[in-house]
Amino acid sequence: MNVVVCVKQIPDPATPGALDPSTNLMKRDGKLILDDSDAYGVEMALQLVSDAGGGEVTLVSMAPNDEKSGLRTGLAMGAAKAILVSDPALAGSDALGTAKVLAAAIKRAEPDLVITGTESTDGYTGTVPEQIAAILGFASITFAKSIQIADGTAKVDRQTEAGYDEVSAPLPAVISVTAGVVEPRYPSFKGIMAAKSKPVDSLTVADLGIPADQVGAAGARQEIISVSPAEERQAGEIIEDDGESHLKIVQFLESQKVL
Amino acid sequence: MALNTIWVHAEVGGDKPSSITLELISKARTLAGTVEAFYAGDNADAVAADLGQYGVSKVYTVATEGLQGIPVASAMAAQIGAGNKPDLIMFGSTYDGRDVLARLSVAIDRPVLTNNTDVSVEGDEVRVTTAVFGGTSDVTTAFRCEAPHLASFRPKSFVAEPGGAATPEVVAAEATEQGKVTVHERHVEEHSGPILDEAAVVVSGGRGLGEAEKFEMVETLAKLLKGAPGASRAIVDAGWVPYSYQVGQTGKVVKPDVYIAVGISGATQHMVGMKGSKTIIAINKDAEAPIFSIADLGIVGDVHKIMPKLIEALQQR
Ligand SMILES: Cc1cc2nc3c(=O)[nH]c(=O)nc-3n(C[C@H](O)[C@H](O)[C@H](O)COP(=O)(O)OP(=O)(O)OC[C@H]3O[C@@H](n4cnc5c(N)ncnc54)[C@H](O)[C@@H]3O)c2cc1C
Ligand SMILES: Nc1ncnc2c1ncn2[C@@H]1O[C@H](COP(=O)(O)O)[C@@H](O)[C@H]1O
């Protein structure tokens, strides 16, 4: 079974994000890392391929500046190869533009299954997976808490507002997995060394045959009008516990009339 | 200039329209002359009557097999293709809402703007606002394409208020395509007490509790305050409590009168889910924890010392 995992490479979330004042787009210069939300997908794919007893995991990513460091992490975990789409024309792409690019790249790998995160850490539209499925004409299941594959069918527990649904879909399918479905493995030293020589196929928008006006800022068909600081909450009274601070809380609750 | 028509993707919780649906409709009513809803589910007539109380004049019902994404999007796309074009279609940032929104965006080739907290109309331009960087900045974006515009909104962005009462016309909108996903069984997690996103008091626990068993303190305190227990993602991922407890970017948005954060650091993704609370109490042993920057009452101390005393004090009242 061949599985594609869509992995986003993002600026380290530990460093505060910023908008480029000239374009109002999220700054994505500097080193990028594998989005944590997608590490679960990589692990899930590796486990499914190993359970299936054959096949391989291909990573697909769209990122600026030919960035590969996040891909190397996924390859070090055990993915066989990667497809990277990088092109200055992609700057300012929105969710639909991203999905168009990823779908075209995924097609090249002819997967049985496509795994994504439910939402990316820095963009969190949560729509890219379902858009990819729509473009490819694949079945799709979002918010998977578990995946089992048997006889060309994916069985999934899908998170819902009230609990979860047991659902199934024929392959090929796009499935988005929630954080915590599996425990992502740490790349071993051997894995890290091996990743350096694994193939990364670098493509441009033209290579994929996508008209340039469908992607990037032009394809996004939207314009940021303003960026303003949100109303800030002020910190109130901060006290050190002296053994009696629970009484302060009781008092506060009384003042709010919830007691 | 106001808009002519807004469609709202309507969802239910139990057998009543969900709060996010009523919030969206209430907002839509202030922006457009006509508000219509698409609904895929049971009891369409009863649901339509409820939606009518909030000003919906027409409810399109869609017959679905399996998940909503493909059938509802195809029914909307078919209406649009036939020339029935709204200016804006509003969705909740919910499981099914996102599926329908994403499928529709491909079907009619329109961009989507997601996770918004506000919408306005300037001239003939539709603008939406979304919070970024953990809610520290608001970004307002205008659609630069032909209508219908597609946008999703976070729960609690608007206030649900009945108004513009109407008896909606209920019509079937045909789904031109059904998905290939089969739903075998639906599991509903039992819970007692008020619902997390509607409770007047929310007590949430985080990794600072140390171990799963200690979540009981959170539950006990919530019960004493007639509130609901909640959680950070860290302890949901760790399997201490079900996902339905999660507060934050990928969980519930809550706006109680009092939010009590117990052993929660205050990551931006957690704060976007509770910053709108009327008042916030935080207990954390680290004086530098970000949660203190938004707390009205912050106690720097050990939850294992403070919580038992607090619970006892309340039990004795
Ligand atoms: C895409 C994405 C989406 C996310 N969505 C969400 C979301 O919806 N909701 C969410 O909550 N998180 C979300 N997160 C995760 C978030 O970034 C944090 O990792 C998470 O909120 C941390 O949970 P926590 O505060 O319980 O744990 P920690 O950050 O580990 O904090 C534990 C706190 O407990 C304190 N503590 C420890 N021991 C004690 C003690 N004995 N007494 C008192 N205090 C103590 C510590 O000082 C610390 O501040 C998301 C992350 C990503 C990347
Ligand atoms: N630029 C990208 N490259 C690869 N995968 C992506 C990209 N953007 C989004 N995805 C995938 O889509 C999922 C949801 O992202 P989003 O819709 O941005 O919340 C992510 O977890 C990824 O699996």
Side-chain angles (χ1 to χ4, degrees):
Chain A
M1 183 172 64
N2 290 322
V3 182
V4 160
V5 187
C6 293
V7 296
K8 193 167 181 182
Q9 304 178 81
I10 61 168
D12 189 339
T15 57
L19 296 177
D20 182 331
S22 61
T23 61
N24 274 335
L25 295 173
M26 200 96 72
K27 274 193 185 160
R28 293 192 207 281
D29 41 6
K31 189 173 173 313
L32 302 181
I33 60 169
L34 172 66
D35 188 344
D36 253 351
S37 309
D38 291 328
Y40 301 100
V42 175
E43 178 63 39
M44 177 61 91
L46 291 170
Q47 291 185 13
L48 290 173
V49 164
S50 135
D51 290 349
E56 59 184 17
V57 175
T58 304
L59 308 176
V60 171
S61 188
M62 168 180 137
N65 309 326
D66 215 28
E67 180 65 51
K68 298 191 187 77
S69 24
L71 287 175
R72 292 286 174 216
T73 306
L75 293 169
M77 288 172 71
K81 57 188 198 307
I83 301 175
L84 171 66
V85 189
S86 197
D87 195 320
L90 292 171
S93 290
D94 71 335
L96 184 56
T98 304
K100 286 175 181 171
V101 169
L102 293 175
I106 290 166
K107 236 189 205 155
R108 300 190 152 212
E110 300 182 1
D112 302 298
L113 175 66
V114 179
I115 295 183
T116 71
T118 48
E119 51 180 41
S120 60
T121 299
D122 65 339
Y124 53 91
T125 77
T127 55
V128 167
E130 186 86 20
Q131 287 171 325
I132 292 173
I135 294 165
L136 294 173
F138 285 12
S140 55
I141 302 175
T142 47
F143 286 94
K145 293 182 359 141
S146 72
I147 308 178
Q148 281 167 357
I149 307 285
D151 308 323
T153 302
K155 279 176 67 179
V156 169
D157 286 347
R158 176 182 189 253
Q159 205 128 54
T160 63
E161 211 67 55
Y164 68 97
D165 289 351
E166 281 177 45
V167 303
S168 67
L171 300 183
V174 177
I175 301 180
S176 75
V177 298
T178 59
V181 270
V182 281
E183 191 59 47
R185 69 192 68 182
Y186 284 105
S188 64
F189 179 69
K190 224 176 106 197
I192 294 169
M193 295 314 288
K196 293 191 173 146
S197 54
K198 287 182 177 174
V200 178
D201 193 4
S202 287
L203 302 172
T204 63
V205 172
D207 291 336
L208 292 171
I210 299 175
D213 64 351
Q214 297 253 319
V215 296
R221 293 168 287 170
Q222 53 192 262
E223 186 189 347
I224 293 178
I225 301 292
S226 68
V227 179
S228 57
E231 224 177 280
E232 267 195 62
R233 268 193 99 102
Q234 298 298 324
E237 188 185 359
I238 311 294
I239 59 166
E240 194 83 37
D241 177 37
D242 56 358
E244 298 297 322
S245 63
H246 59 284
L247 298 176
K248 269 297 238 207
I249 299 180
V250 173
Q251 244 176 37
F252 187 90
L253 293 171
E254 277 171 342
S255 75
Q256 293 304 313
K257 305 201 168 46
V258 296
L259 279 180
Chain B
M1 198 182 89
L3 303 177
N4 290 320
T5 305
I6 294 178
W7 285 353
V8 172
H9 173 243
E11 299 182 70
V12 288
D15 48 10
K16 289 275 170 202
S18 63
S19 14
I20 172 95
T21 296
L22 299 178
E23 290 156 20
L24 296 181
I25 293 169
S26 301
K27 182 64 185 184
R29 212 170 64 214
T30 67
L31 297 174
T34 306
V35 181
E36 300 175 340
F38 273 71
Y39 174 63
D42 300 332
N43 304 319
D45 286 329
V47 170
D50 287 342
L51 298 179
Q53 296 303 310
Y54 288 77
V56 168
S57 57
K58 188 172 188 174
V59 176
Y60 296 89
T61 60
V62 185
T64 59
E65 299 158 13
L67 300 178
Q68 288 201 27
I70 294 179
V72 177
S74 77
M76 287 180 171
Q79 291 289 331
I80 294 164
N84 183 4
K85 257 191 204 165
D87 301 289
L88 170 68
I89 312 181
M90 298 171 80
F91 297 83
S93 292
T94 59
Y95 302 96
D96 291 334
R98 288 211 266 205
D99 284 4
V100 177
L101 171 65
R103 287 273 171 184
L104 182 61
S105 78
V106 172
I108 64 172
D109 191 27
R110 290 290 188 291
V112 296
L113 287 167
T114 49
N115 296 311
N116 298 294
T117 55
D118 204 1
V119 51
S120 63
V121 179
E122 300 291 333
D124 52 7
E125 192 173 278
V126 176
R127 297 177 173 182
V128 290
T129 300
T130 187
V132 298
F133 306 136
T136 53
S137 297
D138 288 328
V139 173
T140 299
T141 308
F143 288 97
R144 288 274 183 266
C145 57
E146 206 190 308
H149 303 308
L150 310 181
S152 75
F153 297 86
R154 294 188 65 85
K156 306 272 162 71
S157 297
F158 311 113
V159 179
E161 268 171 321
T167 306
E169 182 190 348
V170 178
V171 296
E174 201 197 336
T176 54
E177 196 188 343
Q178 289 290 343
K180 299 173 210 142
V181 179
T182 312
V183 179
H184 302 283
E185 202 171 333
R186 295 187 187 272
H187 297 263
V188 175
E189 278 155 8
E190 299 295 332
H191 67 88
S192 56
I195 306 174
L196 180 54
D197 44 5
E198 285 166 14
V201 177
V202 172
V203 185
S204 287
R207 188 142 47 193
L209 290 167
E211 49 180 353
E213 288 65 42
K214 292 290 191 294
F215 192 75
E216 209 181 300
M217 297 193 296
V218 169
E219 273 173 332
T220 308
L221 181 58
K223 204 168 208 170
L224 284 165
L225 298 172
K226 298 187 184 60
S232 72
R233 180 165 121 181
I235 72 167
V236 171
D237 285 357
W240 296 4
V241 295
Y243 170 79
S244 55
Y245 285 54
Q246 185 173 316
V247 172
Q249 179 179 306
T250 27
K252 297 260 159 46
V253 177
V254 300
K255 290 191 176 178
D257 293 337
V258 180
Y259 185 89
I260 308 182
V262 182
I264 291 178
S265 61
T268 54
Q269 298 94 346
H270 185 80
M271 300 220 271
V272 288
M274 42 68 77
K275 260 171 75 157
S277 304
K278 201 168 131 234
T279 60
I280 296 170
I281 302 176
I283 309 176
N284 195 305
K285 70 174 184 193
D286 173 9
E288 303 294 314
I291 191 81
F292 286 131
S293 70
I294 62 162
D296 299 282
L297 175 61
I299 312 282
V300 182
D302 186 347
V303 294
H304 302 106
K305 297 208 178 106
I306 299 164
M307 286 289 278
K309 285 191 201 160
L310 176 59
I311 288 168
E312 200 189 316
L314 293 173
Q315 275 166 343
Q316 279 172 3
R317 287 167 70 94

